[in-house]
Amino acid sequence: MSRALSALLLFAAANCQADPPAPPAPIVITDVTVLPMTPDSVPLARATVTLENGRIASITAGTPAKLPAGARRIDGRGKWLMPGFTDMHMHLENDRMGRLHVGDPTLPDGTFDLADALTPYLANGVLQIFNLSSMSETIGQRVEVESGRVLGPHIATAAMIDGSPPMWPLGMTRAAATPEDGRQAVRDAKAEGYEFIKVYSKLTLETFIAIVDEARQQHMRVVGHIPQRGQGITERFFIPGFDLVAHAEEFAQHTDPPDYAAIPRYVEMARRNGTWLVATLSLDERIVEEIRAPDSLRRRGELRYMHPRAYDMVINGNPYTKDRSDGRIRYVQAVVDFNCPLVKAFTAAGIPVLTGTDAPVPGVAPGFALHDEFEALAKCGMSNAQILESTTRRAAEWLGTLPDRGTVEAGKRADLVILDADPLENISNTRRITAVIAGGHYLARADLDRKLARLAARNPR
Ligand SMILES: [Zn+2]
């Protein structure tokens, strides 16, 4: 780059930038029980946690002699402090995705507001999300959050690559008909700033192998579906670099009906390959529930925090409730039934099962659904400690963000949740959020409720 051009860009950057948001004031939380979520950690009772400049400055036993200047003191008596939660499988809306998804090219710019879309996550203590159909807009959304201009969860970005023709509209996905297409799609995604690759159902084995190999060369981890259902070649997709299966149902759907006898083999292929699993158990539970009783969607109050266009699609244009035949219900129920023993077997083998929702698939409410997922995982044999580790440290480990967040340790980012009850005792207590701290910004329950009420007011009663 010429020196004149660099100078110009620097000048432009300096002049175009909005005022950087003010750093959050120091916070001292006293008398709180800390769940550090470091390996083999035990709860630290009556601790004092000091937050400064958006990070955890210290964690000490007992009450501090003096507070940092200008610090806000939070009484943590009878409360639990832990890292924010992670949704490892979700989709974040933007205007272009809305146009592609709804098939309405007239949807105006500015329809979907980023802060509004992120509020239900924030309000539910979800401070890291993984968008598995990231678009160029997502990169911009990520910048808004990381720069502090929009308060919300960190956004990790995966670019989706499907076979040709793809299942989703181009723009939401890329299509690769050949191994060379696949390699180019990975190189493009890398150059455009995506962090991860999402592989999808229609890829051929050859193209899948090329994508995973190219992603390894580009130092990008791969998450996704197991393509080519029903072909009897499940095992051949488990190659080094395929790091995360995006649903438990991927295994269920590889045969029809799901093959219980194959579970030990599925576990072994994942274990040997170092492939982790995002279960999305509650996704399939919601789908079977809404096929059986579409009215259940109207009773799900937490869907009202979605954008009115998205809410309308859930209620009036839901593709999942089109086929309500007995055969369809039986099939989805068979998937739900299979998921549980699969998750049990993965957990027993020591393979991390991460927490994800696939929101905003109809019925799966952004933010709220993660707590449904915790409960579903508990019912399928994961201990409360395992679930909490999955949604904090383990997720950060997979995403490569562990040096920055995912545990309560000095130096880590102050992305924290304060609960009214012990989540180790009852996993449903993750819902009892008394405050959320995002990058050191303190949001009390009342603040979160006010934000949610404003969103709900946009939808019909
Ligand atoms: Zn998904």
Side-chain angles (χ1 to χ4, degrees):
M1 201 188 295
S2 80
R3 196 164 296 177
L5 180 59
S6 335
L8 184 70
L9 287 176
L10 279 175
F11 174 81
N15 279 276
C16 293
Q17 219 157 42
D19 284 344
I27 295 173
V28 179
I29 308 158
T30 54
D31 262 334
V32 74
T33 300
V34 175
L35 306 181
M37 290 297 135
T38 49
D40 305 315
S41 59
V42 291
L44 312 171
R46 305 207 57 190
T48 295
V49 179
T50 305
L51 313 178
E52 279 179 279
N53 297 315
R55 295 204 170 256
I56 300 166
S58 65
I59 306 158
T60 52
T63 315
K66 70 175 184 46
L67 304 185
R72 173 177 182 180
R73 183 173 182 157
I74 305 289
D75 184 358
R77 256 177 306 174
K79 302 197 189 306
W80 282 258
L81 178 83
M82 64 172 294
F85 311 129
T86 307
D87 190 336
M88 283 294 283
H89 185 154
M90 53 75 69
H91 304 274
L92 183 59
E93 56 263 52
N94 62 64
D95 295 332
R96 187 162 57 104
M97 177 181 159
R99 286 178 207 121
L100 292 166
H101 199 232
V102 183
D104 175 5
T106 68
L107 202 71
D109 280 331
T111 297
F112 292 104
D113 178 79
L114 177 61
D116 288 351
L118 296 179
T119 291
Y121 289 98
L122 209 51
N124 280 283
V126 184
L127 298 179
Q128 170 77 63
I129 54 180
F130 191 14
N131 183 356
L132 294 195
S133 58
S134 291
M135 300 166 62
S136 44
E137 284 83 348
T138 318
I139 310 248
Q141 291 172 325
R142 179 186 158 88
V143 170
E144 289 301 286
V145 171
E146 294 305 320
S147 64
R149 287 193 289 268
V150 169
L151 195 61
H154 300 282
I155 302 167
T157 57
M160 177 163 34
I161 310 176
D162 200 354
S164 183
M167 292 178 65
W168 295 96
L170 286 173
M172 286 173 65
T173 185
R174 290 145 206 265
T178 66
E180 196 36 56
D181 282 358
R183 288 186 186 275
Q184 188 58 45
V186 172
R187 290 191 291 263
D188 287 347
K190 176 75 176 188
E192 289 161 20
Y194 299 91
E195 305 162 274
F196 301 94
I197 296 295
K198 158 100 173 272
V199 282
Y200 214 67
S201 302
K202 289 180 74 180
L203 287 167
T204 63
L205 178 61
E206 294 67 33
T207 304
F208 178 96
I209 290 170
I211 288 169
V212 173
D213 180 63
E214 187 67 36
R216 281 227 298 173
Q217 293 181 42
Q218 301 293 339
H219 305 290
M220 299 172 88
R221 305 196 81 188
V222 178
V223 52
H225 290 194
I226 310 168
Q228 302 295 329
R229 291 172 185 167
Q231 304 298 309
I233 54 170
T234 315
E235 187 154 15
R236 298 179 64 187
F237 291 95
F238 284 77
I239 55 171
F242 182 32
D243 300 306
L244 183 62
V245 175
H247 303 281
E249 69 172 33
E250 286 304 307
F251 291 95
Q253 297 186 350
H254 246 241
T255 58
D256 186 9
D259 185 357
Y260 284 81
I263 289 178
R265 204 156 44 80
Y266 293 155
V267 167
E268 186 51 25
M269 58 180 86
R271 195 193 57 74
R272 220 181 312 150
N273 203 48
T275 309
W276 295 9
L277 176 66
V278 183
T280 66
L281 299 176
S282 47
L283 163 72
D284 295 315
E285 290 177 4
R286 283 300 86 69
I287 291 173
V288 79
E289 176 183 284
E290 68 203 43
I291 300 176
R292 284 186 202 278
D295 251 18
S296 64
L297 292 167
R298 288 179 198 275
R299 290 192 297 271
R300 245 175 212 287
E302 67 269 26
L303 295 173
R304 293 182 185 279
Y305 304 115
M306 296 174 76
H307 188 276
R309 288 297 296 253
Y311 181 68
D312 179 65
M313 207 193 100
V314 168
I315 300 295
N316 300 312
N318 183 351
Y320 291 90
T321 51
K322 293 269 179 320
D323 178 1
R324 300 188 52 220
S325 62
D326 287 350
R328 176 75 186 148
I329 291 173
R330 220 174 308 121
Y331 180 72
V332 183
Q333 187 61 55
V335 171
V336 170
D337 294 343
F338 179 87
N339 285 345
C340 222
L342 183 90
V343 163
K344 273 190 186 138
F346 268 71
T347 303
I351 303 169
V353 177
L354 302 180
T355 58
T357 64
D358 214 358
V361 164
V364 183
F368 293 87
L370 194 66
H371 300 278
D372 300 336
E373 185 67 16
F374 295 164
E375 288 165 359
L377 290 167
K379 276 194 204 129
C380 292
M382 280 178 76
S383 71
N384 296 342
Q386 281 171 330
I387 295 165
L388 297 175
E389 286 183 358
S390 278
T391 202
T392 57
R393 186 184 80 245
R394 291 305 213 163
E397 230 176 291
W398 196 94
L399 291 168
T401 55
L402 190 55
D404 188 56
R405 46 195 189 260
T407 59
V408 184
E409 288 178 277
K412 293 258 173 123
R413 202 178 282 262
D415 285 347
L416 304 163
V417 177
I418 304 178
L419 302 171
D420 267 334
D422 185 359
L424 284 169
E425 197 170 287
N426 181 344
I427 199 65
S428 301
N429 288 340
T430 57
R431 297 180 190 272
R432 296 182 58 182
I433 294 169
T434 181
V436 169
I437 303 169
H441 294 274
Y442 188 87
L443 294 149
R445 184 71 257 168
D447 302 324
L448 299 169
D449 287 343
R450 214 174 307 115
K451 284 172 181 282
L452 286 174
R454 196 179 59 74
L455 297 184
R458 304 173 306 173
N459 282 308
R461 295 252 116 218

